[in-house]
Amino acid sequence: MSSAPTASVTARGETVAVGTANADAADDPAIWRNPANPAASLIVGTDKKAGLHVYDMQGADRSFLDAGAVNNVDLRDMGEKGIVVAVSDRNDLLASKLAMFTLDPTTATLKPMGKIASGAGEAYGVCLYRAPAALYAFMVLKDGTINQIELDLSGASHTGRIVRTMKLATQSEGCAVDERTGRLYVAEEDVGLWRFDAAPDGPVAPVRIAAADGHQIVADAEGVAVVPEGDRGGYVVVSSQGDNAYALYRLDDESYVGRFRIAAGTIGAVEETDGIDIVAGDFGPGYPAGLMVAQDGINPPRAQNFKLVSWADVKQALGLQ
């Protein structure tokens, strides 16, 4: 347990529990913000034992797709090419796959768009990077290998090719990209938070932003989310799973900001968080300045689920507004 000052917020909503009971099953969320009707936004969440759920802003389970063992998820709204959803597929522990889908916002359903080979080893973390010239996926294998995949969305199914490989020394998972600066952030679970250049022709050496030192981050370092503000401002947020908290760092100078927990209120507390996602902007009356979704590893008497938190509440608790 860290001795660092840690603020508290409470969740304003929660999803229906995943279908796999009595197991570590819920893992990672990805948020799609509906620009025309923010209150009709959607959340894609993984049950890593069974498949993919699509939830609405009230936490209702709008659809489920049996996809087997899937771990992390990310998405991008690509306009005419649809809402692209990428998932780390670990059905074959020796040969990772990137499972691709499109999200239909009207029906809240996922359409499979094929699988892409993403390197030898167990698929674990995944995040997308929309660069000016292409859409990329970063597949974080369980052993710390990170493969960058250039995606081709032009066909009836999505395809891609590995264009670069990077490496962290030990088990790694959560990742997110600041698309303004082309910086990739990856959590190495027992070590801390690292930054890479996300450009396909960039250097492959990592820079450590924060250590899992038992103070700012208590191992495991798990989910990672990037929340841009303005030209270079905003925050990168890391799940400090070892003491049920989250650590914030500024994106402009990567300095430490503070920590917070999601405590019990009208809705229960959040513990042992794996994946997180945070998107700024209007999400309706309950989330006027942004939405944070966090996997909840302990949710008795039900199975694991995802909690919904107002990003404005987090910023207020940390004195950031």
Side-chain angles (χ1 to χ4, degrees):
M1 181 71 69
S2 171
S3 61
T6 304
S8 290
V9 300
T10 56
R12 296 193 179 191
E14 64 180 328
T15 69
V16 172
V18 298
T20 303
N22 303 315
D24 179 19
D27 196 85
D28 191 44
I31 300 165
W32 173 72
R33 180 179 175 273
N34 186 331
N37 182 8
S41 299
L42 298 170
I43 301 159
V44 181
T46 61
D47 178 336
K48 61 189 176 186
K49 310 291 186 183
L52 296 160
H53 293 270
V54 180
Y55 304 101
D56 62 24
M57 290 294 294
Q58 289 70 49
D61 194 349
R62 294 284 304 278
S63 69
F64 173 75
L65 181 67
D66 182 354
V70 291
N71 205 54
N72 279 197
V73 58
D74 200 8
L75 61 80
R76 289 292 185 277
D77 191 332
M78 300 299 292
E80 293 182 356
K81 294 180 180 179
I83 303 166
V84 175
V85 179
V87 179
S88 53
D89 183 306
R90 60 198 296 198
N91 286 290
D92 183 343
L93 299 182
L94 300 180
S96 76
K97 298 289 192 301
L98 184 66
M100 302 298 297
F101 305 86
T102 55
L103 173 63
D104 184 331
T106 302
T107 62
T109 57
L110 292 163
K111 176 184 177 182
M113 296 297 292
K115 295 185 180 183
I116 300 167
S118 53
E122 182 177 349
Y124 220 44
V126 72
C127 53
L128 292 172
Y129 170 39
R130 181 170 42 193
L135 179 66
Y136 297 94
F138 291 96
M139 174 62 75
V140 182
L141 303 180
K142 196 170 185 178
D143 70 354
T145 301
I146 305 162
N147 290 323
Q148 184 170 3
I149 301 159
E150 182 177 342
L151 299 173
D152 183 349
L153 311 178
S154 62
S157 62
H158 298 159
T159 60
R161 62 188 183 94
I162 296 173
V163 295
R164 188 172 62 141
T165 297
M166 298 163 283
K167 187 73 173 72
L168 292 172
T170 63
Q171 183 167 312
S172 306
E173 184 176 5
C175 67
V177 179
D178 183 349
E179 294 181 338
R180 304 165 307 168
T181 59
R183 290 177 169 182
L184 165 69
Y185 296 90
V186 184
E188 187 178 3
E189 294 186 1
D190 291 335
V191 178
L193 179 67
W194 298 87
R195 167 172 52 83
F196 291 89
D197 188 327
D201 57 353
V204 298
V207 175
R208 191 160 74 175
I209 305 305
D213 58 2
H215 186 67
Q216 296 176 11
I217 300 172
V218 179
D220 295 340
E222 288 278 348
V224 178
V226 164
V227 195
E229 292 182 353
D231 291 336
R232 294 184 67 88
Y235 308 92
V236 55
V237 184
V238 186
S239 170
S240 173
Q241 190 187 73
D243 73 335
N244 306 323
Y246 311 87
L248 278 78
Y249 302 85
R250 297 188 189 278
L251 286 169
D252 52 4
D253 62 6
E254 294 169 339
S255 61
Y256 173 65
V257 175
R259 291 162 41 90
F260 70 98
R261 290 191 176 92
I262 304 171
T266 304
I267 294 168
V270 178
E271 295 94 6
E272 298 183 3
T273 294
D274 286 320
I276 59 174
D277 196 15
I278 305 169
V279 176
D282 177 20
F283 281 85
Y287 312 91
L291 172 67
M292 175 180 181
V293 179
Q295 182 261 2
D296 187 4
I298 303 176
N299 186 45
R302 297 174 296 277
Q304 296 177 344
N305 72 346
F306 301 91
K307 298 296 196 286
L308 281 61
V309 176
S310 166
W311 180 237
D313 290 349
V314 173
K315 294 184 70 176
Q316 182 177 22
L318 291 168
L320 301 177
Q321 57 182 20

